[in-house]
Structures are given as structure tokens and as C-alpha cells.
Amino acid sequence: MSVDGRPGGEQPVLRLRDGKMSFGDRTLWSGLDLDVRAGEFLAVLGANGSGKSTLLKAILGLRRLDRGSLAIAGQQPRRGSAMIGYIPQERRLAPPTPLRARDLVRLGMDGQRWGPGWGGRAKSERARTLLDSVGAAHLADKPVHLLSGGEQQRVRIAQALATDPRLLLCDEPLLSLDLNHQRAVVSLIQQRRRTHRTAVVFVTHEINPVLPYVDRVLYLADGRFRVGRVDEVMTSSSLSALYGSTVEVLRRGDRIIVVGVPDHPEHTHDVDERQADPL
């Protein structure tokens, strides 16, 4: 067995050992051991400021750990790794942006290279194939700033898949999307995981949209963490122990509702009493 309770076997796509990360004099997380294997869906939860996005930065090679080791398919993390696809939060691009949808996907293949020689029939066809795989082939020549939030996220998924990654990092990609677009985006990510055994690390402030697909949860809170199955982590006793105060976890049908997450001055929380009633 691995240190986090997962069965051994093939090399994990992501391996973190004794990881520590701080922000100033505040420890975000410490002593974190984590294996994420091919085809696994890991949801990363926690309040704003708990270190969720910082974890993604470490995986992307944008920030070094304060302590510990991190490997992606046995290699040190580095910027621009073809083994990692990244889907950011939904954010609308400004109207002056001179990009079409297929150009944005091409950036996933070529990075920031632009200008003479940047084109090429094979890569253009690859971009159209990727857009078609996410149901966005009809958007290929449309300016990105004219796309809806849901359409832009489809294009960003195609961009993230451009290098055929082994690990897909999703940084709250459902924010600002309506329920139908949330379902469409999650379905595309799940389809990729199922057909290619791509490992998924999905940072979110709300587990319910991805709950049917989650294998395990990493919950970060106040410098502490818990890793395990949903029914192990998302419980009143587990979250109360993490926060050091009473937190109640309720089940209503196929939804999980968290009530009583304490408020702290150094950061705001994404899940609190105001979200006690499901949509």
C-alpha cells in the first residue's frame, strides 16, 4: 500500500512526499503525502487562502516547495511540461484580444510562439480535431471574446488537451458558469479521464457538481489536511477536527451541504452558512 492508503502498482502520475508550503509566516500545509494515479479524480477543497491554488502552482513548476519532494511521472515539475494540461477559472477575454478559438488551442501546442511560421496545416487540423472532441468545432474561427463563458471553457479544455497530457489540473473551472455549462464542462473532463485514463486534480469550492466522479478528496484547512474517500473526509467529525470547531455536514439526496465553517480574518471561506440551502 502507498502512504496515503492507495494500492501500489504502476508509478503514480503525481507523487508528493512530506510537502510543505507557507505564505509569509503562515503554514498553508505541511507533511503532505499524496499519490494520484492514472485515471483518478482527486477533488481539492478548502477555504480561500488554504493553499489550493498554491498546490497547483507547485505542480506546474511555478513555485518550489518549502520542504519535501514532488514528481510528475517520475520527473521534477517544470514550467510548460507537456505531461500537464491546465484549465483555469472561467474569465472573459477582453474584446481587443486578436484570437480565434483555434488560435487559443494552438497556443496549447506552441506556447507563446506567434508570427511567421507559427501556422501549419497539420497543427491547424490538430486544433480543429481537439475542438471537435469538446463539441466546439463550429467555434474554430470565431473570435474568443465573442464566446460565452461556457464556450470559452470548452475551448480552454481543448487547449489543455493539446499535448495529450497525463495529468489534468483544473483550477475552479466552474466559477461563474450556470448549471448547464457546469455539467457540460464536468462531462468533458470525465470523458477525457474515462477514455485516456488521464489523472484529474480538480480544485473547487463546491464538490457537488463533481461528486459522482470523485475518487478521493484532499481537504485543506488552517494548515491541516485530510486525504481520503468522500465518505471519509466529508463528515462532521472530520471537518470539525480540521477546523478545531463544530462543522456540520449534511446529506440531502445526492448533495453534500457544509454548515458552520468558521470565519477567520486572514481569509474568507467559500463554504459557509450562507450556502446551507442547495440550489
Side-chain angles (χ1 to χ4, degrees):
M1 298 290 287
S2 66
V3 296
D4 56 2
R6 301 289 295 175
E10 63 181 319
Q11 182 186 62
V13 176
L14 168 66
R15 169 160 285 183
L16 176 62
R17 288 293 178 270
D18 194 29
K20 178 182 179 181
M21 193 70 81
S22 302
F23 183 78
D25 59 358
R26 184 165 66 89
T27 298
L28 298 175
W29 30 267
S30 179
L32 178 56
D33 290 331
L34 182 67
D35 283 352
V36 181
R37 300 186 179 276
E40 184 175 10
F41 194 122
L42 176 76
V44 182
L45 301 170
N48 289 337
S50 61
K52 303 188 301 295
S53 292
T54 305
L55 174 62
L56 295 191
K57 288 179 181 179
I59 296 170
L60 289 166
L62 302 178
R63 180 166 176 179
R64 296 185 64 179
L65 295 171
D66 295 333
R67 186 185 69 226
S69 63
L70 177 61
I72 311 299
Q75 300 180 21
Q76 293 295 312
R78 61 178 179 82
R79 293 171 182 255
S81 172
M83 291 189 291
I84 301 175
Y86 176 66
I87 305 173
Q89 296 178 15
E90 188 274 327
R91 58 184 186 276
R92 302 304 300 273
L93 297 177
T97 305
L99 291 175
R100 296 160 295 183
R102 60 185 173 92
D103 298 329
L104 197 62
V105 175
R106 283 290 307 271
L107 288 175
M109 293 182 247
D110 298 312
Q112 301 303 314
R113 293 192 296 275
W114 186 271
W118 183 82
R121 179 173 296 180
K123 289 186 176 180
S124 293
E125 287 302 315
R126 168 71 172 158
R128 289 185 179 276
T129 299
L130 287 164
L131 285 168
D132 185 56
S133 73
V134 298
H138 62 293
L139 303 175
D141 295 309
K142 193 170 182 178
V144 175
H145 73 271
L146 296 180
L147 304 181
S148 69
E151 289 173 335
Q152 284 195 15
Q153 284 303 75
R154 283 180 178 268
V155 174
R156 287 192 176 98
I157 293 173
Q159 181 189 45
L161 300 180
T163 61
D164 195 23
R166 297 182 60 182
L167 174 63
L168 195 58
L169 301 182
C170 308
D171 189 4
E172 303 207 46
L174 308 182
L175 284 181
S176 304
L177 297 182
D178 62 31
L179 187 59
N180 287 334
H181 282 129
Q182 286 185 1
R183 288 171 175 165
V185 168
V186 172
S187 177
L188 289 170
I189 293 169
Q190 169 63 8
Q191 175 183 320
R192 171 70 188 193
R193 179 173 78 122
R194 184 179 63 250
T195 57
H196 290 74
R197 296 190 71 234
T198 304
V200 176
V201 175
F202 196 103
V203 170
T204 181
H205 73 287
E206 170 59 77
I207 193 173
N208 289 304
V210 296
L211 187 58
Y213 311 112
V214 173
D215 295 306
R216 287 187 302 150
V217 170
L218 166 62
Y219 202 111
L220 303 171
D222 292 342
R224 295 180 289 273
F225 63 88
R226 180 77 189 275
V227 186
R229 299 188 309 272
V230 174
D231 58 0
E232 294 173 332
V233 176
M234 301 303 293
T235 68
S236 298
S237 60
S238 176
L239 295 192
S240 295
L242 277 178
Y243 284 107
S245 61
T246 301
V247 176
E248 189 172 3
V249 179
L250 309 174
R251 292 269 187 168
R252 291 188 183 176
D254 58 356
R255 291 181 61 83
I256 292 176
I257 303 154
V258 179
V259 182
V261 170
D263 197 13
H264 292 274
E266 68 268 20
H267 53 72
T268 58
H269 286 270
D270 298 302
V271 183
D272 61 18
E273 292 90 340
R274 289 170 296 179
Q275 296 175 309
D277 292 324
L279 299 175

